[in-house]
Amino acid sequence: MPVMTYREAIRSAMADEMTRDDSVIVMGEDIGVYGGTHLVTDGLIDKFGPKRVIDTPIAEGGFTGAAIGMAMTGMRPIVEMMTWNFSFQAADQIIQNAAKVRYFSGGQVTVPLVIRGPNGGGVQLSAQHTHSLEGFYGHFPGLKVVSPVTPADAKGMMLASIRDNNPVIFLEAGALYGTKGEVPDGDFVVPFGKARIAREGTDITLIAYGRQVNMLLNVAEKLAGEGISAEVIDLRSIRPFDEETIVTSVRKTHRAVVVQEQWRWFSVASEVAAIIQEQAFDDLDAPVLRVSGAEVPAPYARNLELAAFPNEDQIAAAARRALYLEK
Amino acid sequence: MATTRSRSAKAASKSGANDSAVGGRHKAASQNGLPLDHTTLLDMYRQMVTIRLFEEAAQKAFRTGKIGGYLHLYIGQEALAMGFLHSYQPGDKIITAYRDHAHALILGTHPRAVMAELYGKGTGMVKGKGGSMHLFDVKNGLWGGYGIVGGHIPLGVGFAYAQAYQQSGNMTQLYFGDGSIHNGAFHEAANLAGLWGRDGMNPCLFILENNKYGMGTSVERATAMTDLSAKFDSYGIEHEDVDANDLIAVLECAQRVTKMVRETGKPYGIEAQTYRLSPHGAADFLERYRSKDEVQSHRAHDPINVLEARLLQADATTEAEMEKIRADAKDVADDAVKFAEESPDPDLAELTTDVLAD
């Protein structure tokens, strides 16, 4: 299997679909001539031209709304949010139009739209440029929300996103664009709504998505040295959500820790914990624990930023608490 | 003439349950100092009167609690949509805000389906899921019906880009009120339209429906730059004004500018001067923001009266014929109300459909 970076995997999926289907276009800020702030779209304008790789002014509401209009009328636009932080400027378009127009038109229109870009923090961009928006967007019926962490999933889920007939919020792990991994050749589609068991285990289930999955794998390795067998689940898809894989795992391990970078209140981890207690209450041997970001706007200084997000020590400690090995 | 062809083509494109009792018959005839033959103009008169009586019936139903939510009426503005939509061609896309009943009726949605939607019935044009603000009839060119002031404007620009990209030869008519021109969505979208139009990639006709009030705030109280169409200049979009209470003026303008937009792929702006005779919404009882005298003074320029005078002056009709048209229009409105009242509620199973597409 070829090895690609996370960035290349996303680009390759977009290029493949643009080659296959003329209705697929990409648009966003500095994605063409400049090559993309994170170089995810680098080179696409040379291959597909400026009518399909559209550099937009810095006006997210306008171009996201236009993309929704295109999607309603026969095109399959992929919008780049330079970072998801800027999507608040387009939130009215995404929530009020993209997510709902199919419903309030009585099913007369579809919105096959992908909005993609880096989500989450970890690179010292401070308060306004650091958010984890999976819970926010996951709240709205009519949207699909995915958050792949491996290059293989990035490619497979991008192909699935472009072919989906609904608006897809594609949250990239911005800190991982340069990480490498094997990516299957050819038409490799990863369907939504299916979590990935990243590591099998029997004593405790550790659940995350995005870059926190890699932390869980490190923690699981550390716990193995302590004689604890941790299962690691990568949700991948926030909405639709794979309840079955989570519940099946917890029925086996009887314990769960959910980890996320976003704030705890009204978050994905809260929802996961609720689903577990609703469906596997009698199988639980300990409360489901959540490890989340600090309840502060993201700080700039490196030490403060590190303290604001979950780290491996905190996650390991939570796992030991769930196993009653630590207070 | 081009519009004669387009009108016939549209009539021929209609089918099934959505066939209109408002849009409809047409035959070519001679002119008499008017831009279209008498039969066509009289038919438009019939449509405008039908819209008026339809909306008055809806207002009554609202005030007796049969219609819920919001109900925004087009009373006083009928010539505007009538005139521009006469230049509609199959494949064109029409998008507007929440004052959308007239657009649906003119494009050919059956009045029964429109009224049933206002009543929230399962026989409504969007199955009772949208109500007054979200009328859609994609088959007949109506792509909504949106409730957030300004929020639909970028969508229309996107429609136009897609039309150019698909080399369809079609265009978008994008209607929006004077209240929305102060919203960022207008400015961001108009900027894109101007930019894309430079390459022939935005056949979008921006139709600013200036009815003088954004809800209860007059243009003068909303902006220091009250020449609203000047805002198009900021984005390189050429524009003109039209007296939108005079159907003949609107028709002349619409025929000319839609041809231009189709041919150039460039956006164009219209500031359509009109006046909302009805309250903002049917629940706007007090109208503290304007005097009765002001409203009364505009009644003299009611588009239906203006058209009646024009038609009589050109010997295109008689008082007796107009009376018959009004009576027929009343029947259409009454029939729509009866249909809506007798229609079943939406099936509860519809609650969870149409959220996601397959």
Side-chain angles (χ1 to χ4, degrees), chain A:
Chain A
M1 268 191 287
V3 171
M4 287 185 193
T5 64
Y6 189 85
R7 167 190 290 120
E8 288 164 346
I10 296 166
R11 184 193 303 142
S12 125
M14 293 193 291
D16 286 358
E17 282 303 276
M18 291 179 80
T19 302
R20 199 181 65 80
D21 180 352
D22 278 348
S23 71
V24 180
I25 61 139
V26 298
M27 57 195 289
E29 294 152 0
D30 275 320
I31 61 156
V33 175
Y34 189 104
T37 308
H38 307 282
L39 298 176
V40 177
T41 55
D42 193 26
L44 293 181
I45 195 168
D46 301 326
K47 196 165 177 196
F48 299 104
K51 284 184 181 167
R52 298 186 68 192
V53 180
I54 305 170
D55 277 322
T56 66
I58 304 170
E60 290 82 4
F63 69 72
T64 303
I68 295 166
M70 295 178 196
M72 289 167 66
T73 55
M75 299 180 69
R76 291 184 175 272
I78 305 167
V79 169
E80 174 171 307
M81 283 293 156
M82 187 186 290
T83 81
W84 272 99
N85 308 287
F86 310 155
S87 75
F88 292 118
Q89 293 266 321
D92 182 63
Q93 292 299 327
I94 297 168
I95 295 161
Q96 295 279 30
N97 287 332
K100 298 177 183 172
V101 68
R102 178 168 180 77
Y103 193 79
F104 66 64
S105 68
Q108 291 186 50
V109 299
T110 54
V111 187
L113 169 72
V114 182
I115 310 177
R116 53 150 291 270
N119 176 56
V123 285
Q124 283 189 275
L125 292 174
S126 77
Q128 291 190 312
H129 280 63
T130 305
H131 289 91
S132 296
L133 293 181
E134 52 280 358
F136 178 77
Y137 284 112
H139 184 63
F140 297 103
L143 297 179
K144 294 187 177 182
V145 181
V146 299
S147 181
V149 63
T150 66
D153 282 349
K155 174 155 188 185
M157 297 189 92
M158 178 51 77
L159 284 179
S161 298
I162 299 169
R163 293 176 191 176
D164 202 285
N165 285 325
N166 298 285
V168 177
I169 304 296
F170 193 94
L171 304 167
E172 295 163 9
L176 302 183
Y177 278 130
T179 58
K180 290 183 178 170
E182 289 189 335
V183 177
D185 266 329
D187 201 48
F188 169 66
V189 173
V190 176
F192 296 167
K194 191 72 198 136
R196 177 177 69 99
I197 297 175
R199 175 184 174 125
E200 291 196 19
T202 54
D203 297 334
I204 186 165
T205 302
L206 306 177
I207 303 163
Y209 50 88
R211 72 184 178 110
Q212 274 67 40
V213 172
N214 292 343
M215 301 171 82
L216 295 193
L217 290 170
N218 292 340
V219 169
E221 190 61 31
K222 189 183 297 179
L223 292 174
E226 300 170 23
I228 299 165
S229 167
E231 180 143 297
V232 174
I233 295 182
D234 171 10
L235 291 178
R236 301 196 289 197
S237 178
I238 307 297
R239 189 180 186 117
F241 185 84
D242 180 0
E243 299 186 8
E244 189 187 346
T245 296
I246 304 297
V247 170
T248 301
S249 176
V250 173
R251 287 202 172 120
K252 176 175 69 175
T253 65
H254 311 294
R255 293 171 166 85
V257 174
V258 195
V259 181
Q260 61 185 3
E261 193 173 290
Q262 70 176 303
W263 298 300
R264 190 185 72 184
W265 285 84
F266 320 111
S267 64
V268 171
S270 303
E271 195 58 36
V272 174
I275 288 167
I276 292 170
Q277 68 87 12
E278 281 169 355
Q279 299 189 26
F281 185 78
D282 289 338
D283 294 287
L284 284 172
D285 284 343
V288 179
L289 300 181
R290 292 168 290 169
V291 180
S292 306
E295 299 285 332
V296 296
Y300 167 69
R302 188 64 182 152
N303 68 323
L304 295 180
E305 185 187 49
L306 285 171
F309 296 135
N311 62 46
E312 292 175 13
D313 288 344
Q314 287 171 326
I315 298 166
R320 290 187 203 101
R321 279 203 308 282
L323 286 153
Y324 298 113
L325 298 170
E326 191 173 306
K327 291 251 172 184

Side-chain angles (χ1 to χ4, degrees), chain A residues 25 50-54 66 70 75, chain B residues 156-166 172 196 201-203:
Chain A
I25 61 139
K51 284 184 181 167
R52 298 186 68 192
V53 180
I54 305 170
M70 295 178 196
M75 299 180 69
Chain B
V157 171
F159 293 173
Y161 189 92
Q163 286 168 320
Y165 183 83
Q166 293 155 350
T172 294
W196 292 342
M201 292 298 287
N202 218 256

Side-chain angles (χ1 to χ4, degrees), chain B residues 4-25:
Chain B
T4 301
R5 279 203 308 279
S6 74
R7 197 66 191 165
S8 303
K10 180 169 106 59
S13 77
K14 289 176 194 149
S15 64
N18 273 350
D19 273 10
S20 178
V22 175
R25 75 191 158 89

Side-chain angles (χ1 to χ4, degrees), chain B residues 74-124:
Chain B
Y74 206 64
I75 290 173
Q77 305 178 213
E78 295 90 343
L80 198 170
M82 185 75 250
F84 283 107
L85 290 177
H86 186 69
S87 292
Y88 170 86
Q89 292 183 8
D92 287 353
K93 294 188 168 64
I94 309 303
I95 180 168
T96 187
Y98 44 74
R99 204 175 296 284
D100 54 357
H101 311 152
H103 303 75
L105 292 166
I106 295 164
L107 284 167
T109 313
H110 200 293
R112 287 179 168 185
V114 182
M115 190 65 83
E117 187 58 39
L118 306 188
Y119 269 71
K121 295 300 184 74
T123 52

